[in-house]
Amino acid sequence: MRKPELLAPAGDLDRCKTAIRFGADAVYIGGKQFSLRSRASNFTIEDIQEACRFAKEYGARIHVTVNMVPHEEDFEGLEEYLKQLEAAGVSAIIVASLSVMELARKVAPKLEIHCSTQFSVTNVSAIEFLKTRFAIDRVVLARECTLEEIRTITKEANVETEVFIHGGMCVNYSGRCTLSNRMTLRDANRGGCAQSCRWFYHLYEENQEISTKENLFTMGSKDLCTIPILSEILSTGVTSLKIEGRMKTEYYIASIVSLYRHLIDEIVEKDGHLEEERQMYYQNELQKIENRLTCVGFYKGRAGKESIITTPNSNQEVNHSYIGRIEDYQEGIAKISTRNPFALGDTIEVLSPKKELRTFQVQSIKNELGEYLEESKKPMASLYIPIPFPVEKEDFLRRISHD
Ligand code: SF4
């Protein structure tokens, strides 16, 4: 079984380096202009150059989203920007506009062109057109494709295919949505989506409210999670598996990339046959990091009512389980920088790049004044705790249970 690329998101340089260290084969990032997610802390050209340098060290690739749907005034500076990306060593740009594709081919021919999911490509003839006219290198298939459609398209289309395997979903075809534009005057296709589909609405028919306080109307989709069907996705022959989430935290990126890195490697090693108990293991791991409900989207057929989140459900506990990062480790004692509270007796898990998870129990906590503490409550404090195995600077620590 061929191992596809694991493609991770990153909103800034730290998250980009973390994604690569935790096993991403490629990372997609956005510049300060011309990209969606304008509220994500986006990359300067200098950051992009550094990301490419760092990626090269690990044999990874950098893809840059140039995926806004540009209006006339949005083109200023684009030509120069594309040339700068090419010179920086960016491998590919992710594009959602024919005019940007045309320009990129002319002024920055070394950049691969990846056709964004915003094109909603769901069939081979659309790819034929894009390939013949713009020589695209890869197509990010619409999230609305089924597994069988992905299999057929990947087999018949003569370009690489990329599919989403985890993260947020649009309730509309990605990018074909003006809910946010209308509700907030923020253009979803120029980087401003306010996620209006996830709000809760009072619903009226004529003048009569038909929603109730307990049952307000919403149309937000559950997040995509493909752990239960990843073997099937791999069997379709796709080139790249993409995780959504350029707004996500560094801790989330490390955890989710690590989970899918191990999962993909294990499936390939077992030639596609992952035992049910191993699948359950990964599913349980996900519960430690995912705070929204998940589903398999459209991959097993048309996503119905069961794919919609109808309550303001979110598991905030997962955000609090991240307790800190390793700053130093010497002779069995780790210096850590704290994020969330923990206490003596808590069981802690260490998340290290490309290693299995390791656990230990907190036996003592000492502050920089040499005082021993029962618990840690302050974020960004430097504390010393014994860890009975070697850990590395920047490993993540998360609490899995209270004593
Ligand atoms: S409002 Fe919802 S469906 Fe529309 S673009 Fe934003 S996330 Fe997607």
Side-chain angles (χ1 to χ4, degrees), residues 169-172 174-175 177-180 188 193-198:
M169 297 273 279
C170 275
V171 76
N172 287 318
S174 309
C177 174
T178 54
L179 263 181
S180 171
C193 176
Q195 298 194 314
S196 309
C197 61
R198 294 186 179 186

Side-chain angles (χ1 to χ4, degrees), residues 34-36 64-72 74-75 78 82 93-106 112-121 129-130 133-136 138 174-176 189-190:
F34 312 115
S35 161
L36 298 192
V64 174
T65 54
V66 189
N67 58 348
M68 70 154 34
V69 173
H71 291 232
E72 281 302 335
D74 294 325
F75 284 95
L78 180 58
L82 293 170
I93 52 171
I94 305 167
V95 181
S97 151
L98 299 177
S99 44
V100 176
M101 280 184 189
E102 182 129 281
L103 183 64
R105 272 287 165 254
K106 237 188 266 161
E112 285 180 21
I113 293 183
H114 294 184
C115 174
S116 163
T117 196
Q118 290 159 269
F119 267 102
S120 304
V121 171
F129 169 77
L130 290 162
R133 181 72 177 77
F134 299 99
I136 60 161
R138 183 184 293 186
S174 309
R176 304 198 173 196
N189 279 308
R190 288 154 109 186

Side-chain angles (χ1 to χ4, degrees), residues 147-340:
L147 274 179
E148 284 323 303
E149 286 169 338
I150 292 170
R151 194 181 306 283
T152 306
I153 294 169
T154 299
K155 194 162 153 227
E156 292 180 14
N158 203 12
V159 294
E160 296 179 348
T161 52
E162 177 177 307
V163 295
F164 281 89
I165 55 166
H166 199 92
M169 297 273 279
C170 275
V171 76
N172 287 318
Y173 270 83
S174 309
R176 304 198 173 196
C177 174
T178 54
L179 263 181
S180 171
N181 306 49
R182 291 174 196 281
M183 299 286 190
T184 66
L185 299 181
R186 281 166 47 176
D187 188 340
N189 279 308
R190 288 154 109 186
C193 176
Q195 298 194 314
S196 309
C197 61
R198 294 186 179 186
W199 301 354
F200 285 83
Y201 295 88
H202 291 269
L203 199 63
Y204 286 82
E205 195 175 298
E206 303 285 341
N207 290 329
Q208 182 72 37
E209 181 168 3
I210 54 171
S211 53
T212 61
K213 205 167 145 215
E214 297 72 40
N215 196 12
L216 294 175
F217 174 74
T218 184
M219 48 196 142
S221 169
K222 289 180 185 170
D223 282 7
L224 177 68
C225 166
T226 58
I227 293 173
I229 56 164
L230 200 63
S231 303
E232 289 177 78
I233 295 182
L234 261 63
S235 76
T236 63
V238 291
T239 299
S240 179
L241 306 174
K242 183 176 203 165
I243 296 171
E244 184 274 346
R246 280 193 287 140
M247 311 276 280
K248 300 283 193 180
T249 64
E250 202 175 345
Y251 165 64
Y252 176 88
I253 298 293
S255 307
I256 202 79
V257 169
S258 181
L259 186 154
Y260 275 102
R261 175 76 281 151
H262 283 102
L263 178 55
I264 293 165
D265 291 352
E266 188 170 341
I267 292 174
V268 173
E269 198 180 295
K270 293 177 174 167
D271 207 19
H273 305 294
L274 191 72
E275 305 85 358
E276 214 179 306
E277 79 205 39
R278 292 299 295 157
Q279 199 197 103
M280 283 313 295
Y281 163 80
Y282 286 106
Q283 209 64 72
N284 290 336
E285 283 305 303
L286 183 72
Q287 298 314 312
K288 297 177 189 167
I289 44 177
E290 183 62 66
N291 66 3
R292 283 169 54 82
L293 295 172
T294 59
C295 66
V296 295
F298 287 74
Y299 289 148
K300 296 301 264 183
R302 303 298 165 200
K305 265 210 294 217
E306 68 289 346
S307 64
I308 299 292
I309 292 186
T310 51
T311 55
N313 173 295
S314 89
N315 176 10
Q316 288 305 322
E317 179 54 27
V318 299
N319 299 330
H320 302 142
S321 63
Y322 167 37
I323 64 152
R325 287 188 88 170
I326 303 289
E327 286 189 339
D328 193 16
Y329 181 80
Q330 281 178 34
E331 296 171 11
I333 304 292
K335 182 182 182 191
I336 69 166
S337 163
T338 61
R339 298 294 185 278
N340 286 296

